[in-house]
Amino acid sequence: QVQLVESGGGSVQAGGSLRLSCAASKLPHCTYDMSWYRQAPGKEREFVSGYDSDGPPNYADSVKGRFTISQNNAKNTVYLQMNTLKPEDTAMYYCETVAYGIRCPWRGRIYWGQGTQVTVSS
């Protein structure tokens, strides 16, 4: 099982910045695609940004130009730098990890973090 530890959430005023982190425990023979999702009260969980295999990262239109995702060389930690935050960015942010690799016994499995709250006040 992959253990995910998220951190970096908090409360900021509109226009401020936060940096989220998600660290995944390493599984033998496995590589990860890691992404960020968010869920606001009363709304469905939505994609924010993430990696898909070795391609460039993807972003939701609502965060393009404001959020930047990055990862460490081992690809088991992902960061989300969030700038120019807006009240509509307020949500619980979740890290999603998908294990893959030909020799990975857990390939295809999806793991979720516990979530970290981001609150942006106007």
Side-chain angles (χ1 to χ4, degrees), residues 14-113:
S17 298
L18 285 172
R19 186 177 189 240
L20 307 183
S21 299
C22 175
S25 57
K26 235 0 201 142
L27 294 175
H29 310 299
C30 297
T31 306
Y32 303 141
D33 280 339
M34 300 183 75
S35 299
W36 289 98
Y37 285 73
R38 67 186 181 187
Q39 186 168 19
K43 295 187 177 181
E44 294 188 354
R45 190 170 297 188
E46 63 176 4
F47 172 81
V48 176
S49 180
Y51 289 94
D52 182 8
S53 297
D54 293 325
N58 298 303
Y59 295 91
D61 288 342
S62 59
V63 306
K64 281 181 181 177
R66 300 188 298 121
F67 291 10
T68 302
I69 193 171
S70 59
Q71 60 185 2
N72 66 344
N73 289 337
K75 296 186 178 181
N76 69 327
T77 301
V78 66
Y79 308 94
L80 186 67
Q81 178 66 43
M82 305 185 294
N83 297 329
T84 319
L85 282 161
K86 304 176 181 180
E88 50 264 43
D89 295 318
T90 296
M92 185 72 78
Y93 283 70
Y94 296 92
C95 176
E96 181 221 51
T97 296
V98 182
Y100 70 94
I102 294 176
R103 297 175 60 201
C104 175
W106 299 270
R107 62 182 177 273
R109 292 192 184 181
I110 301 173
Y111 302 90
W112 291 93

